[in-house]
């Protein structure tokens, strides 16, 4: 088997690294794949430029790094049930993923990460911002770290994907993009501070889209501390803003980062293909 050597150049900002001189349309080989996964655990998100990947090659790359975890809410790409579409058309106002979040935290075994391939980009904007949850945790005071280290939090999607049919406006907005609201019944509880399965580092694991509160706390009690953590973890020093170009790919780790899609290109189409990689139960 051909082995590709993986050269990783950190962005120099709060999170992420560029992987250079690889061709994702062919196998990375065993050691290339292992190097890529440890780079992912270390840097939180890996960016690739100038790749030409068919949907089959996107699937082959995903299967080389792990097992595919099919998202049950996103519309799949026609003829490719394992690839989710992240689409915004000129008629849409809302971009899928426009709030800070991490994918699948509502699952008992949250996804390891997602591989997003740019298919059609707007003439301007449509960047994705990532934030580093290792750094967000490290920058907290010792006192708050101690409090958070002992907590678990509840995550759900009932109030997000599950709520779409209850609002005619949202139902219209997401029609043909997000569905299966009846499947939004999976809640989960995870440590608020996890030990990252690859890097072994501690990371803050709550997010504004899917975390509903600390286990054993009221919604009101939870919300003020969660709001503090959300503002803290979104600080620019922890982030990197990735500008998409034709041929760009981002592979992020959902346990080490948050991301959000910037919705600044109304009236234009943006179409991305996302494959999500299966993860594992998280521990403190
Ligand atoms: C996502 O949240 O999975 C999509 C991010 C993006 O479209 O940039």
């Amino acid at each position: 088997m051909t082995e590709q050597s993986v050269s990783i150049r950190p962005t120099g900002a709060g999170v992420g690294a560029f992987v250079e001189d690889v061709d994702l349309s062919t196998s990375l080989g065993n050691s290339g794949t292992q190097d890529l996964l440890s780079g992912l655990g270390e840097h939180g998100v890996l960016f690739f430029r100038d790749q030409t990947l068919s949907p089959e090659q996107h699937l082959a790359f995903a299967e080389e790094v792990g097992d595919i975890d099919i998202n049950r809410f996103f519309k799949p790409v026609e003829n490719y049930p394992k690839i989710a579409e992240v689409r915004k058309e000129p008629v849409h106002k809302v971009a899928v993923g426009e709030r800070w979040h991490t994918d699948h935290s509502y699952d008992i075994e949250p996804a390891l990460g997602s591989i997003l391939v740019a298919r059609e980009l707007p003439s301007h904007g449509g960047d994705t911002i990532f934030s580093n949850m290792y750094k967000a945790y490290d920058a907290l005071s010792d006192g708050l770290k101690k409090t958070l280290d002992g907590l678990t939090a509840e995550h759900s999607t009932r109030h997000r994907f599950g709520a779409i049919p209850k609002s005619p406006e949202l139902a219209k907005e997401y029609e043909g993009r997000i569905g299966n609201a009846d499947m939004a019944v999976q809640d989960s509880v995870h440590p608020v501070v996890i030990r990252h399965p690859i890097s072994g580092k501690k990371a803050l694991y709550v997010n504004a889209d899917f975390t509903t509160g600390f286990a054993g706390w009221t919604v009101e009690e939870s919300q003020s501390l969660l709001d503090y953590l959300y503002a803290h973890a979104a600080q620019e020093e922890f982030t990197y803003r990735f500008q998409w170009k034709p041929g760009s790919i981002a592979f992020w780790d959902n346990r080490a980062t948050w991301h959000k899609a910037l919705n600044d290109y109304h009236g234009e189409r943006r179409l991305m293909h996302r494959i999500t990689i299966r993860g594992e139960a998280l521990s403190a």
Side-chain angles (χ1 to χ4, degrees):
M1 181 192 290
T2 325
E3 292 284 341
Q4 297 193 55
S5 72
V6 169
S7 150
I8 294 183
R9 178 176 56 83
T11 60
V15 67
F18 283 88
V19 182
E20 291 166 341
D21 305 323
V22 289
D23 176 3
L24 298 183
S25 69
T26 64
S27 170
L28 290 171
N30 288 336
S31 71
T33 301
Q34 285 321 308
D35 290 350
L36 195 82
L37 286 170
S38 59
L40 182 73
E42 185 62 29
H43 300 286
V45 49
L46 300 176
F47 303 112
F48 306 82
R49 295 285 192 203
D50 304 319
Q51 302 290 322
T52 314
L53 281 197
S54 64
E56 286 79 6
Q57 289 164 334
H58 187 185
L59 285 161
F61 171 46
E63 277 160 359
E64 190 159 49
V65 296
D67 296 328
I68 295 175
D69 186 350
I70 300 176
N71 185 287
R72 49 200 182 276
F73 305 109
F74 285 48
K75 178 177 179 281
V77 173
E78 199 175 353
N79 300 323
Y80 296 96
K82 294 181 177 174
I83 308 180
E85 256 188 23
V86 181
R87 178 187 286 276
K88 183 170 181 251
E89 291 290 344
V91 294
H92 294 136
K93 290 284 172 277
V94 179
V96 172
E98 69 178 39
R99 281 182 296 254
W100 280 118
H101 67 284
T102 187
D103 305 330
H104 290 227
S105 72
Y106 46 82
D107 284 336
I108 290 165
E109 295 185 346
L112 175 155
S114 300
I115 303 168
L116 193 68
V117 174
R119 293 294 179 202
E120 282 186 62
L121 294 170
S123 61
H124 64 278
D127 300 349
T128 307
I129 307 192
F130 295 87
S131 190
N132 188 325
M133 293 304 114
Y134 299 136
K135 289 187 179 171
Y137 174 75
D138 287 345
L140 295 169
S141 68
D142 287 345
L144 186 48
K145 280 181 184 157
K146 212 166 155 188
T147 302
L148 297 178
D149 279 345
L151 294 180
T152 55
E154 288 155 3
H155 300 247
S156 180
T157 189
R158 294 172 201 267
H159 60 298
R160 292 284 179 243
F161 304 136
I164 291 173
K166 294 175 195 146
S167 151
E169 210 174 297
L170 285 182
K172 185 160 178 277
E173 179 63 33
Y174 284 114
E175 192 183 350
R177 297 197 286 167
I178 301 282
N180 294 338
D182 54 326
M183 294 176 89
V185 289
Q186 173 67 71
D187 301 332
S188 62
V189 176
H190 305 295
V192 170
V193 179
I194 57 161
R195 183 69 70 178
H196 191 279
I198 300 176
S199 69
K201 294 196 278 191
K202 283 184 168 189
L204 186 63
Y205 195 74
V206 286
N207 71 90
D209 239 3
F210 302 125
T211 306
T212 50
F214 298 113
W217 294 32
T218 65
V219 172
E220 294 73 24
E221 286 167 344
S222 295
Q223 204 53 53
S224 44
L225 180 50
L226 286 173
D227 285 344
Y228 172 79
L229 293 173
Y230 297 154
H232 165 81
Q235 290 178 84
E236 273 180 21
E237 67 200 87
F238 308 137
T239 69
Y240 179 70
R241 177 171 174 161
F242 182 60
Q243 225 174 350
W244 294 91
K245 296 179 187 170
S248 296
I249 295 176
F251 179 12
W252 62 81
D253 185 312
N254 282 310
R255 295 85 52 100
T257 59
W258 285 349
H259 59 279
K260 85 171 176 176
L262 286 188
N263 186 7
D264 55 357
Y265 55 95
H266 288 321
E268 295 201 44
R269 171 181 293 154
R270 179 178 182 271
L271 175 63
M272 318 293 272
H273 284 182
R274 192 181 94 180
I275 300 182
T276 299
I277 308 297
R278 189 171 300 289
E280 59 204 85
L282 298 171
S283 49

